[in-house]
Amino acid sequence: MLQRPAGALSSTPEQLARRARRAWLLFAAVALLIVTAALYGAGLYGRTAEVGTLAAQGHTDANLKVALLRAVLESPRALPLLLSADQQVRDALSQKNAAAIDVLNRKLEGLVSGTKASVLYVVGTDGLAIASSNWREPISFVGNDYRFRDYFSGAMQAGTAEYFALGNVSKRPGLYISRRVGDAAAPLGVVVVKMEFDQLEADWREANRPAYVSDENGVVLITSVPSWRFMTTAPLAAPKQAAIRDSQQFGDAPLVPLPIMHAQALSPDVSIVHAMTPGASDTEYLSLSTPIPSTPWRLDYLIPVEAPIAAAVREMRLLALGVVVPLLGLAAYLLWRRQSAQMRIAAEQAARTELERRVVERTEDLSRARDRLQAEITGHRSTEAKLQIVQQDLVQANRLAILGQVAAGVAHEINQPVATIRAYADNARTFLDRKQTGPAEENLGAIAALTERIGSITEELKAFARKGRTAAEPVELRGVIEGAVMLLRSRFAGRLDALAIDLPPPSLKVMGNRVRLEQVLINLFQNALEALDGRDDAHVQVSVDETADGVTVGVSDNGPGIPPAILKSLFTPFNTSKEKGLGLGLVISKDIVADYGGRIEVSSDDSGTRFTIHLQTAA
C-alpha cells in the first residue's frame, strides 16, 4: 500500500501539477543526456572494436601478400647466380665474337620463356649490352649503354645488386637483379635479369583494396593502383629528388606525394588515413605497413573502414538503446506512479478542505435544519462509500478481464508442450523402472527443451498482447514443419498417420521466426486432426509450393467443414465451435503471419476445409 507523502498534505493539485511539469522537463533532459552519452560511448566502442578486428584481418592479408611477393622474387634471383658461372656467358664476354654472342642470345631467349623473368641480358665491362633475350625484337637491349645504371656499377663493385627502375628502352617499370661475371680483380661483365610485376599487381587489384610497395626513399614501386606508381609516401627533400632524377631511375615521373592525408596513428604500423582513389571520393581507410624481408622495401595495405565501422557503430548503438530505453521507460513509469499518488491524495485533501469551508460558511443558516442536514450528510457519505466500492469493483473486473484473456491465450498455446512433457515424463518413469537410464535421460532432456519452449511461447504471447513484432529472419521451412509435428506427437499418438506431409527441401527458407511459425502450424494441424476425430478415412494433406509471390503452405482435411456462421467470423477472438475451445488459435495465427508480411486464407465446404498460408521467401 502506498504511504501518503508528507508534502502532499500541504500542496494543492495546481502546485503539484507545476512540480510535475518541472519534474518531467528535468527527466527529459536527463534522459536525453543519458541516451546521448550511451550512443556516443557505444559508437566509440563499436568503432574501436571494429578497427581492431579489421587490423587483425589486415595483418593476415598483408603477411600473405608479403609471402607471395617474396615467392615471386626468389625465382629470378637465382638466374644471375647461375648465369654468372655459365661457360657460354664467359666465352661470349671474353671472346666477343659473333658466333659466341649468337649462341648466348639464343640461350637467353630460351631461358626467359621458361621463367617469370621479363628480360635477361649480359653487359660487358664497358657497360654495353652484348646479348639479350629480346635480341630479335625492335626494342632489343643489345648495344645499349648501361653504365649509368646503379645495378651495373653496384654489381661491378660489390658482385651483386638489385635496383628498381623504369626501363630506358621498354619504358616499363621492373626490378633489375644483376651479378658480376668473374672476380673483382678481373671482371668480365655483368648478367642482368629484369622482373616485372604486372600479374602480381593484377592479382592485388581483384581484392579492391589498395596495396603498394615503396622503397627506402618512400617511392611507390609496385601498386594495385596504377596511377600511384612512382608517387611518394612523403614529400622528398630537394637534394634527394634531384639525385633520383639525375639517375633516371624513374624517368620523368613527378615524384609527388600520394593522395593520402590526415593520418591518425593507432600503433607504429597501423593508422587511419583518408585517401583519394581514381574515380572515387575521399574515403577512410585502415593503413597497415609491414617490412618485406630480404629487401629494403615496405608493403602498405589499405582496408576500407567506413562501411564496416558504420555497421559496427550502428549495431552497438542499437544494443545500447535496447538497454537504456527500457530502463528509462521503467524510471518514467515509477515517476508517473509517484506523481499520480500525490495528485490523488492532494485532490482528496482539497475536496475535504473545500467541504469543511462550505460547512463552516453555512453552519449559521442551516442550524435550524440540523437533523435534516445530518441525514443528508449521512446519505452522502453512504453514497460516496458505495461509489468507491463500485469503482473498485469496476477496476477489479477490468483487471480480471485482461488477466483472463492473457491466461486463456497462455493455456491455449502451451497446451501442446505440456501434453508432450507429460508423455515424456511417463516414458522416463517407465524407462527408470526398467533400469534403462539412456532412454530416460533422452526423455528428460526433451522435457528440459520443452520447458524452454513453454518459456518462448509465453514471451511470444506477451509480444502478441503488446502488439509487438519479433524481427523476421530466414527460417528453414522444413524444420518448422517437423518441429510442429514433434509437439503434436504425444497428444495425437496413433492419429498422426492421418498427416500426409510433402516436406520441402532444406534449402527453402521463408521470412519469420521459427517458434511463432511453429505456433501457426500447430494450431492448423490440431484443428484438422480434431475435426477428423473418430473418422476411419481421416486424411490431412500438407503441401508446400513456391510461387512468384513467395511460398504457400496448404493444410487440407476431409472433415465435415466449418459451419457458415462460424466461418464468417472465424478470425474473431473467442469464436469457436468446440465445446472446450477458446477461439484464440486462429486469431493468434493470423496476427503472427501478418507480422511477417503474409496472410492466411480459408475455404470450407461439406468435403473438407483448406487453410492456405502465404509467406515471403527469404532472399
Side-chain angles (χ1 to χ4, degrees):
M1 181 176 179
L2 292 173
Q3 294 183 350
R4 179 176 299 182
L9 297 176
S10 58
S11 300
T12 64
E14 292 77 12
Q15 291 173 331
L16 288 176
R18 288 194 294 270
R19 291 178 187 174
R21 284 193 293 271
R22 289 196 295 270
W24 280 112
L25 288 175
L26 179 60
F27 178 82
V30 172
L32 180 61
L33 181 62
I34 292 174
V35 170
T36 302
L39 291 177
Y40 176 78
L44 187 62
Y45 174 79
R47 178 183 177 88
T48 303
E50 186 63 21
V51 167
T53 301
L54 290 175
Q57 296 174 351
H59 276 302
T60 301
D61 292 345
N63 290 335
L64 289 175
K65 291 182 183 297
V66 169
L68 179 60
L69 177 58
R70 292 189 64 189
V72 171
L73 288 173
E74 289 307 317
S75 176
R77 279 177 171 171
L79 286 174
L81 176 63
L82 297 174
L83 289 174
S84 65
D86 187 82
Q87 189 59 46
Q88 292 178 337
V89 174
R90 291 176 175 269
D91 291 343
L93 286 171
S94 59
Q95 300 172 10
K96 293 187 178 180
N97 58 61
I101 291 176
D102 183 66
V103 170
L104 183 57
N105 276 329
R106 297 178 186 277
K107 181 171 185 172
L108 295 179
E109 184 179 32
L111 285 175
V112 79
S113 63
T115 65
K116 295 182 180 179
S118 175
V119 182
L120 279 168
Y121 55 103
V122 177
V123 182
T125 55
D126 56 357
L128 296 178
I130 66 169
S132 174
S133 61
N134 63 357
W135 63 284
R136 300 178 188 271
E137 300 176 9
I139 58 170
S140 170
F141 289 1
V142 176
N144 290 327
D145 188 354
Y146 293 101
R147 282 177 296 177
F148 70 96
R149 288 298 196 186
D150 288 355
Y151 61 80
F152 174 76
S153 58
M156 290 292 289
Q157 295 173 7
T160 183
E162 292 187 4
Y163 186 69
F164 195 102
L166 185 70
N168 64 323
V169 175
S170 66
K171 303 302 180 183
R172 293 177 59 82
L175 176 65
Y176 295 84
I177 305 172
S178 60
R179 191 170 187 89
R180 184 181 62 219
V181 180
D183 53 26
L188 298 176
V190 174
V191 176
V192 185
V193 58
K194 180 183 179 183
M195 179 183 179
E196 297 178 359
F197 300 90
D198 295 347
Q199 183 58 48
L200 181 66
E201 292 176 335
D203 293 340
W204 287 0
R205 279 194 291 273
E206 291 180 358
N208 291 324
R209 292 182 174 184
Y212 57 90
V213 175
S214 56
D215 63 9
E216 64 275 16
N217 295 321
V219 180
V220 176
L221 307 178
I222 306 169
T223 174
S224 62
V225 184
S227 61
W228 287 6
R229 193 186 316 281
F230 299 150
M231 300 181 79
T232 61
T233 58
L236 291 176
K240 175 63 69 176
Q241 191 174 36
I244 292 175
R245 293 197 183 282
D246 291 342
S247 69
Q248 300 182 27
Q249 181 179 2
F250 305 119
D252 57 355
L255 300 178
V256 296
L258 287 167
I260 298 176
M261 62 213 79
H262 307 303
Q264 175 190 353
L266 304 179
S267 67
D269 59 346
V270 180
S271 60
I272 297 291
V273 301
H274 288 262
M276 296 281 293
T277 56
S281 58
D282 184 10
T283 306
E284 191 176 41
Y285 291 90
L286 180 68
S287 175
L288 295 95
S289 181
T290 182
I292 301 174
S294 75
T295 71
W297 300 345
R298 294 189 68 85
L299 171 71
D300 287 271
Y301 184 44
L302 304 184
I303 304 173
V305 296
E306 291 182 350
I309 285 179
V313 169
R314 182 168 57 252
E315 181 179 353
M316 292 307 300
R317 284 177 174 173
L318 289 175
L319 181 61
L321 288 177
V323 175
V324 171
V325 170
L327 293 178
L328 291 177
L330 177 60
Y333 169 73
L334 295 176
L335 177 61
W336 170 81
R337 184 177 178 181
R338 180 175 181 274
Q339 291 178 348
S340 297
Q342 291 177 340
M343 290 293 291
R344 185 175 65 254
I345 294 171
E348 293 174 355
Q349 178 66 23
R352 286 194 293 269
T353 301
E354 178 66 16
L355 180 60
E356 291 172 359
R357 184 185 66 81
R358 290 181 180 181
V359 169
V360 170
E361 289 178 352
R362 299 182 63 184
T363 298
E364 186 177 354
D365 297 335
L366 298 177
S367 59
R368 291 175 295 181
R370 184 178 302 168
D371 293 339
R372 183 173 59 85
L373 178 59
Q374 185 65 36
E376 291 178 357
I377 292 174
T378 302
H380 174 72
R381 290 178 177 174
S382 176
T383 302
E384 185 179 17
K386 291 179 180 179
L387 178 61
Q388 291 179 352
I389 292 173
V390 171
Q391 289 175 341
Q392 293 174 359
D393 289 343
L394 288 175
V395 171
Q396 182 64 16
N398 180 260
R399 290 176 181 171
L400 290 175
I402 295 173
L403 179 61
Q405 292 178 5
V406 174
V410 170
H412 182 84
E413 292 302 324
I414 70 174
N415 184 48
Q416 297 89 352
V418 167
T420 307
I421 289 173
R422 176 60 183 271
Y424 278 129
D426 291 341
N427 291 342
R429 183 183 296 112
T430 302
F431 285 129
L432 290 175
D433 291 340
R434 297 175 181 176
K435 307 300 183 181
Q436 297 178 352
T437 58
E441 290 178 355
E442 293 179 1
N443 279 268
L444 292 175
I447 290 174
L450 286 171
T451 57
E452 294 179 1
R453 168 68 176 208
I454 292 174
S456 300
I457 291 175
T458 57
E459 288 300 322
E460 292 298 332
L461 289 176
K462 290 178 183 177
F464 169 72
R466 295 193 301 267
K467 291 296 181 185
R469 295 184 60 180
T470 304
E473 59 183 5
V475 177
E476 185 180 315
L477 185 55
R478 184 188 186 107
V480 173
I481 297 173
E482 291 174 343
V485 174
M486 183 274 291
L487 286 175
L488 292 173
R489 183 171 290 116
S490 62
R491 181 173 179 184
F492 293 96
R495 287 192 282 163
L496 287 182
D497 292 341
L499 280 175
I501 303 176
D502 297 331
L503 288 174
S507 59
L508 181 59
K509 295 184 178 181
V510 296
M511 296 303 296
N513 174 270
R514 173 165 180 158
V515 173
R516 302 190 77 194
L517 293 180
E518 283 181 1
Q519 289 179 230
V520 174
L521 294 182
I522 287 171
N523 283 325
L524 296 183
F525 292 172
Q526 175 180 291
N527 289 344
L529 291 171
E530 289 178 349
L532 300 173
D533 189 21
R535 296 183 61 139
D536 295 335
D537 60 343
H539 181 74
V540 179
Q541 179 66 42
V542 181
S543 60
V544 178
D545 296 304
E546 292 187 71
T547 66
D549 298 330
V551 176
T552 61
V553 181
V555 181
S556 304
D557 64 64
N558 59 344
I562 302 173
I566 300 293
L567 187 61
K568 291 180 180 178
S569 55
L570 190 61
F571 295 102
T572 302
F574 304 105
N575 175 47
T576 180
S577 61
K578 303 175 185 177
E579 182 178 352
K580 297 183 179 180
L582 298 174
L584 291 175
L586 291 177
V587 178
I588 294 173
S589 299
K590 180 182 179 182
D591 282 357
I592 289 173
V593 174
D595 279 347
Y596 300 125
R599 66 185 189 278
I600 295 181
E601 298 174 349
V602 58
S603 60
S604 183
D605 53 30
D606 295 340
S607 61
T609 301
R610 176 180 175 83
F611 284 88
T612 305
I613 308 171
H614 296 268
L615 298 171
Q616 294 183 357
T617 307

